[in-house]
Amino acid sequence: MRTELDRRSRGYRRASLAAAFVIAGSMVAACGSGGASSKAQSTIASSTGSDQAGLAAAQSNVRTATAVNTGFTSPGASFDSSKLRGKKIWVITFLSVPFAQQSVQGLKEAAAAVGATVTAVDGSAGVDAYQRGIKQAIAQKADAIIIGTLNPSLFRADLAVAHAKGIKVIAVSSQAPGTSPAAGDPVDGFVDPCYKCAGGLMADSAITDSKGKADVLVLWSSDVKIPGEAQLSAIQAEFGTNCPGCRVKVQDVPAAQWATRLQPVTQSAVSSDPKLDYILPLYDGMVTFMVPGIRAANAQTRVKISSFNATPAVMQQIGSGGVVLSDVGIGSVRYGWGWADQTFRVLSGVPAVTDEKLPVRLFDASNVGSINLTASTDPWYGSVDYRSEYKKLWGLTS
């Protein structure tokens, strides 16, 4: 069992280093075809030509998603957070990942606003590190434990002990918005970005750029089914709806094999199919291994990439002669405030929300030049004062 858990942990970890969310968060009710097998090779449609109505819809979605976010959508009803002062919140996640570090920063900001404290434990070493962190949190009489990135099912027994002692458990980057804990699960709530939104926007970006004539390869990882299947299904559904003439294939490259397989898989796909012009990897962490394969096939002027996570290194390849067409992202610090909102709700005796309503934004050549890729990512997502909005939800006046 330990060998199997360690194997799964390594797989989750590689995906999380890419997506934070994620990026496993990070990260889900599937739409469309409902997922793919580990050897999925599918074509959505064989018709030719573009669907003008679908193309117009994709273009509209892209225009909306590339615009600056100017509003705040409340995840749920307001509540009294006055009883949170002195509460002890422990979070276990991959602190070696900058995205996770920034999310924890957001969590700590929010906790300070209500008088709670946060202890962060680095789980980068995998399952054993998480288990040690959970045991430490229990021993220190934590009031809540946040499990980041790795699926909480890996720690069911330890979390059950925490639950039995009255400790609330929140899992982040492990499920889909709209998901509620199953009966008997030692988890009180989930926090995740909209993976379906990310998948749909990746597809719409390729549809728009190709004017409805894209030849696409989607790369996903079957060892990260949650949230991968939701994002994959959304991509498939969006092409099926907005571009029935697009040719779309799906190939599985498990996260545990990214470092060894992604380059040759990409190079082979590009070399063997001269019509292939778009590749959609589910996570930015895959892009690093793919670009050398595209260049080795001398296809850097033909093939374009659309991905998810909006990490600076990948974003820098947009509009600068790189192969990246677009990238979908979520604000990392705001993500941490979303963690806090869900945690505060369950600690206050308020029902957990099923969706924290975290906004995503699409970045491409039309807007990437307006942001500072070397500074904080907060301004990338608009000027909304989400901190004040959350504080209002928690009954704070300042």
Side-chain angles (χ1 to χ4, degrees):
M1 176 61 73
R2 176 54 54 83
T3 299
E4 172 65 11
L5 288 178
D6 288 343
R7 183 192 68 76
R8 292 172 65 187
S9 172
R10 288 193 296 272
Y12 279 121
R13 182 183 179 188
R14 288 186 174 90
S16 303
L17 290 172
F21 326 101
V22 322
I23 210 176
S26 97
M27 291 185 140
V28 250
C31 63
S33 65
S37 68
S38 62
K39 297 183 179 180
Q41 292 283 353
S42 62
T43 299
I44 288 179
S46 58
S47 60
T48 58
S50 63
D51 180 322
Q52 292 304 310
L55 175 58
Q59 292 170 334
S60 177
N61 291 340
V62 167
R63 282 194 299 271
T64 299
T66 52
V68 173
N69 179 34
T70 59
F72 178 85
T73 302
S74 174
S78 59
F79 60 96
D80 179 8
S81 64
S82 62
K83 296 180 180 179
L84 297 178
R85 181 165 297 279
K87 295 293 186 182
K88 296 184 290 185
I89 301 169
W90 281 55
V91 56
I92 309 168
T93 190
F94 288 150
L95 294 181
S96 59
V97 179
F99 188 98
Q101 295 169 10
Q102 293 156 10
S103 295
V104 171
Q105 172 193 330
L107 173 66
K108 288 181 175 180
E109 290 176 359
V114 300
T117 62
V118 174
T119 299
V121 176
D122 186 9
S124 298
V127 169
D128 287 345
Y130 274 71
Q131 290 175 324
R132 286 194 298 272
I134 294 169
K135 288 180 171 62
Q136 290 170 1
I138 294 171
Q140 293 299 317
K141 297 181 172 17
D143 296 289
I145 299 174
I146 298 174
I147 299 295
T149 303
L150 294 189
N151 196 293
S153 64
L154 291 168
F155 320 106
R156 183 180 298 274
D158 294 308
L159 294 178
V161 172
H163 238 203
K165 293 181 177 294
I167 300 173
K168 302 297 184 181
V169 177
I170 302 297
V172 303
S173 300
S174 65
Q175 281 294 341
T179 303
S180 297
D185 277 358
V187 176
D188 297 282
F190 300 104
V191 184
D192 290 86
C194 181
Y195 306 110
K196 293 196 294 182
C197 300
L201 288 173
M202 289 165 61
D204 283 332
S205 178
I207 293 168
T208 297
D209 188 68
S210 69
K211 296 180 173 55
K213 299 178 182 178
D215 191 309
V216 183
L217 171 63
V218 182
L219 296 177
W220 86 301
S221 300
S222 60
D223 54 349
V224 192
K225 290 183 181 297
I226 300 175
E229 284 187 339
Q231 190 176 346
L232 172 61
S233 295
I235 291 172
Q236 293 174 311
E238 201 74 358
F239 276 112
T241 299
N242 288 346
C243 194
C246 290
R247 186 165 69 102
V248 182
K249 295 184 293 185
V250 178
Q251 185 163 348
D252 170 33
V253 181
Q257 300 174 20
W258 286 0
T260 58
R261 287 195 58 208
L262 272 174
Q263 179 172 340
V265 164
T266 302
Q267 183 174 345
S268 175
V270 172
S271 298
S272 63
D273 185 355
K275 294 183 179 180
L276 178 64
D277 47 11
Y278 295 89
I279 304 181
L280 277 56
L282 294 200
Y283 313 109
D284 273 7
M286 305 171 81
V287 176
T288 301
F289 303 107
M290 293 167 54
V291 171
I294 293 173
R295 296 192 180 280
N298 197 29
Q300 59 268 30
T301 60
R302 164 170 59 100
V303 177
K304 301 177 183 180
I305 291 173
S306 181
S307 188
F308 173 49
N309 294 149
T311 55
V314 175
M315 294 272 282
Q316 288 167 5
Q317 297 190 53
I318 298 175
S320 61
V323 299
V324 179
L325 167 69
S326 59
D327 209 352
V328 182
I330 175 176
S332 54
V333 178
R334 178 165 180 175
Y335 195 22
W337 279 73
W339 298 3
D341 182 71
Q342 187 77 296
T343 305
F344 295 170
R345 288 176 184 276
V346 299
L347 283 175
S348 299
V350 176
V353 295
T354 59
D355 187 351
E356 275 291 333
K357 306 294 185 183
L358 299 163
V360 298
R361 189 181 184 193
L362 176 68
F363 298 95
D364 60 18
S366 72
N367 61 8
V368 74
S370 66
I371 62 176
N372 185 345
L373 292 174
T374 62
S376 166
T377 62
D378 242 13
W380 297 9
Y381 298 90
S383 57
V384 176
D385 186 1
Y386 60 84
R387 292 173 174 85
S388 292
E389 296 294 337
Y390 276 120
K391 289 177 182 179
K392 291 176 186 176
L393 281 178
W394 305 334
L396 303 178
T397 57
S398 61

